[in-house]
Amino acid sequence: IKAIRGLGYKGPIFSSCDAIVLTDVLGIAGADAEGFFGPSIPADPNVPDLPQIGKDVVKMASDKGWVLNEMHVQGFSAVYSMVQAIQAANSLDPKTVASKWEQMTTINTIFGPGKMGGKQTYGVNHNVYFQTPISVIQNGKVQFGGWISLNDSAMP
């Protein structure tokens, strides 16, 4: 970031890394981080269109002093999704749950309504897709920037 800013580039810079911690980028790059954005969620439970369970997870993590990125919240979402597959199967038997999971088309996630996919791409219908939060560094702070829609996030 510092190198490209040093060359005079003033525009936005995107990172596609899901594990990016924008507060770390801000701490390292300082003012040069202005306009840097990527898949991330700020430590603010009041993100627009974030379901209550997502707000609860973000608040819980923030209250503990954790610095969040999208992957941290996805870890909770994976457990939340698995519970739904277990409930839908009405069983704890792994084969029964896997079979039910394979048949599911929609599922709730920490980030909102999701859908199952991956059959065409990976050969199994076990991937959970959801809208992806994007955050941006503006005015020296990490702020919510918007969502990549569920339809743009999913793979068949």
Side-chain angles (χ1 to χ4, degrees):
I1 295 172
K2 287 181 175 245
I4 197 165
R5 295 291 191 226
L7 293 171
Y9 179 73
K10 305 255 187 249
I13 300 172
F14 177 74
S15 170
S16 63
C17 176
D18 281 340
I20 191 112
V21 178
L22 292 184
T23 51
D24 288 349
V25 172
L26 180 58
I28 294 166
D32 288 331
E34 185 71 17
F36 187 87
F37 69 105
S40 187
I41 193 158
D44 176 3
N46 298 310
V47 169
D49 299 322
L50 185 65
Q52 188 60 49
I53 191 167
K55 291 177 182 188
D56 293 345
V57 168
V58 169
K59 183 176 180 340
M60 177 184 60
S62 298
D63 287 351
K64 291 187 179 290
W66 297 357
V67 178
L68 293 175
N69 69 25
E70 181 199 10
M71 295 296 283
H72 294 125
V73 181
Q74 280 186 43
F76 287 94
S77 199
V79 173
Y80 181 49
S81 296
M82 182 57 68
V83 167
Q84 291 173 70
I86 291 167
Q87 289 173 332
N90 197 27
S91 174
L92 291 175
D93 176 67
K95 289 184 182 189
T96 303
V97 173
S99 175
K100 185 62 178 180
W101 181 275
E102 181 73 26
Q103 297 166 20
M104 295 172 74
T105 57
T106 61
I107 195 161
N108 291 318
T109 77
I110 296 287
F111 295 126
K115 63 180 167 181
M116 300 298 298
K119 180 74 171 175
Q120 190 177 338
T121 307
Y122 303 112
V124 291
N125 190 52
H126 293 188
N127 290 355
V128 176
Y129 296 98
F130 47 85
Q131 64 181 357
T132 304
I134 301 293
S135 292
V136 60
I137 297 172
Q138 289 179 323
N139 302 316
K141 295 180 181 175
V142 177
Q143 300 179 17
F144 181 71
W147 296 98
I148 296 175
S149 75
L150 173 60
N151 289 335
D152 291 332
S153 298
M155 295 166 69

